[in-house]
């Protein structure tokens, strides 16, 4: 193969990687709109139906890609995969609840703090070095969060904010667990999280007397989010992340944060407060600055994605 042909193939691969990761961000950005369109189902019912669809979708995808049972792959990873799966269940639960009770923009911006939480957890647990620029970005992010939540003093606002931060922590634990297990493959762990979520939400719904049968609208939206918003987004991100450096992945993932509030404004008329806009701008600046200052030409494990 000539050098010209080789360069062209690399450029095409990089272009497709950009498109795949951006498309993943677009799909993930619809989570707020999808949950807002739910009429009656609560967080546990939504998560149950979404997890059933997600697990079935990932079972098919992983089986076709590897020719192996996804559960076998997840079990081979051992304890790290179990921790990662349980962390995602907590992230899913907190994410769905927070979007139900606080503005979508606030929730998505709080989710975006997951990389900073992962950096701190990696430093404490795995003894990974945290760059000076990342520490600066973390402190800026803390200030940004303080600005965003300063106007919300109601019980619902406080609960929703804590749930969103809990979701971000769940994503961070998921990332650190994958690093702990030295796994570059996240789909089996996500598949395992779907199974855990099915078991846990079924038990919760049963003990709380919640119906396991949803309306056709709520069931369809929940399962659609499992396949298209979460599942397809993860597959596209996994394919695209193999060809892109960490900085580009971080910047492209901001499509989720930026587009999420746009969809609910466009279709539902939900606006953002000036505190959210100010704090969100500072947070996005911290994320972008950290990504650009630490640009390295190698893929990395994802640190935030859909709820």
């Amino acid at each position: 193969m000539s050098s010209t042909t080789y360069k062209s193939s690399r450029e095409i691969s990089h272009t497709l990687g950009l498109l795949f990761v951006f498309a993943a961000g677009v799909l993930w950005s619809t989570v707020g709109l999808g949950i807002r369109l739910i009429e009656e189902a609560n967080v546990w019912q939504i998560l149950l139906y979404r997890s059933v669809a997600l697990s079935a979708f990932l079972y098919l995808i992983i089986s076709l890609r590897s020719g192996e049972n996804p559960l076998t792959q997840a079990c081979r990873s051992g304890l790290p995969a179990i921790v990662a799966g349980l962390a995602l269940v907590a992230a899913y639960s907190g994410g769905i609840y927070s979007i139900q009770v606080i503005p979508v923009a606030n929730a998505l911006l709080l989710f975006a703090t997951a990389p900073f939480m992962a950096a701190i957890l990696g430093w404490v647990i795995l003894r990974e070095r945290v760059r000076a620029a990342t520490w600066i970005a973390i402190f800026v992010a803390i200030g940004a969060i303080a600005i965003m939540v300063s106007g919300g003093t109601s019980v619902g606002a406080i609960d929703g904010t804590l749930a969103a931060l809990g979701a971000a922590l769940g994503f961070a634990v998921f990332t650190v667990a994958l690093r702990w297990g030295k796994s570059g493959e996240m789909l089996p762990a996500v598949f395992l999280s779907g199974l855990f979520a099915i078991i846990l939400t079924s038990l919760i719904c049963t003990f709380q007397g919640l119906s396991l049968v949803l309306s056709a609208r709520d069931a369809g939206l929940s399962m659609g989010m499992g396949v298209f918003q979460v599942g397809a987004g993860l597959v596209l991100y996994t394919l695209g992340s193999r060809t892109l450096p960490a900085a580009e992945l971080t910047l492209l993932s901001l499509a989720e944060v930026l587009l999420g509030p746009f969809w609910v404004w466009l279709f539902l008329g939900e606006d953002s407060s000036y505190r959210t806009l100010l704090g969100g701008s500072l947070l996005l600046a911290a994320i972008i600055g950290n990504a650009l200052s630490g640009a390295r030409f190698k893929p990395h494990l994802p640190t935030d994605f859909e709820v």
Side-chain angles (χ1 to χ4, degrees):
M1 179 184 293
S2 69
S3 59
T4 302
T5 303
Y6 176 71
K7 181 178 179 181
S8 176
S9 65
R10 283 178 61 91
E11 289 175 349
I12 292 172
S13 178
H14 183 267
T15 300
L16 286 176
L18 288 171
L19 292 174
F20 284 161
V21 174
F22 179 73
V26 172
L27 288 174
W28 293 338
S29 72
T30 63
V31 60
L33 180 61
I35 292 174
R36 280 285 193 272
L37 291 174
I38 297 289
E39 293 181 333
E40 299 176 352
N42 74 358
V43 56
W44 307 118
Q45 295 167 314
I46 296 171
L47 184 52
L48 172 59
Y49 274 69
R50 198 180 76 169
S51 298
V52 169
L54 173 64
S55 298
F57 177 77
L58 289 183
Y59 185 93
L60 177 63
I61 294 298
I62 296 172
S63 298
L64 290 175
R65 286 183 64 204
S66 66
E68 188 178 22
N69 189 316
L71 191 57
T72 301
Q73 288 190 19
C75 291
R76 187 186 304 126
S77 300
L79 184 59
I82 294 174
V83 172
L86 291 173
L88 278 187
V89 175
Y92 296 153
S93 304
I96 293 172
Y97 176 77
S98 65
I99 289 176
Q100 288 184 318
V101 299
I102 63 174
V104 169
N106 290 50
L108 291 179
L109 285 165
L110 291 172
F111 299 160
T113 62
F116 298 138
M117 293 186 183
I120 295 174
L121 287 176
W123 173 59
V124 172
I125 298 173
L126 303 179
R127 299 293 187 267
E128 295 178 343
R129 186 180 70 86
V130 179
R131 297 179 300 108
T134 299
W135 281 118
I136 295 173
I138 288 171
F139 287 116
V140 172
I142 292 173
I145 292 171
I147 293 173
M148 288 168 52
V149 304
S150 60
T153 57
S154 66
V155 174
I158 294 173
D159 288 349
T161 297
L162 291 176
L165 290 173
L169 180 60
F171 297 144
V173 172
F174 168 76
T175 300
V176 172
L178 290 185
R179 290 176 183 165
W180 170 37
K182 295 180 172 54
S183 172
E185 181 60 71
M186 67 176 176
L187 291 184
V190 178
F191 169 75
L192 197 60
S193 77
L195 298 184
F196 289 155
I198 292 171
I199 296 171
L200 291 174
T201 54
S202 296
L203 291 173
I204 291 173
C205 287
T206 300
F207 284 116
Q208 291 189 357
L210 299 172
S211 175
L212 296 180
V213 179
L214 302 183
S215 67
R217 175 192 174 94
D218 286 0
L221 284 169
S222 299
M223 297 186 77
M225 286 191 289
V227 173
F228 299 105
Q229 181 251 322
V230 184
L234 280 172
V235 172
L236 288 171
Y237 188 97
T238 300
L239 294 174
S241 65
R242 300 186 186 281
T243 66
L244 301 178
E248 289 189 33
L249 286 172
T250 301
L251 296 177
L252 285 170
S253 70
L254 294 181
E256 175 189 3
V257 179
L258 296 173
L259 289 175
F262 172 73
W263 300 133
V264 293
W265 169 79
L266 180 64
F267 292 102
L268 303 177
E270 180 178 307
D271 293 322
S272 300
S273 69
Y274 75 91
R275 287 187 178 89
T276 298
L277 295 175
L278 177 58
S281 297
L282 285 175
L283 180 57
L284 292 176
I287 295 171
I288 293 171
N290 183 60
L292 295 178
S293 68
R296 293 186 179 91
F297 291 94
K298 62 179 181 180
H300 74 157
L301 292 172
T303 51
D304 68 325
F305 53 94
E306 76 310 323
V307 300

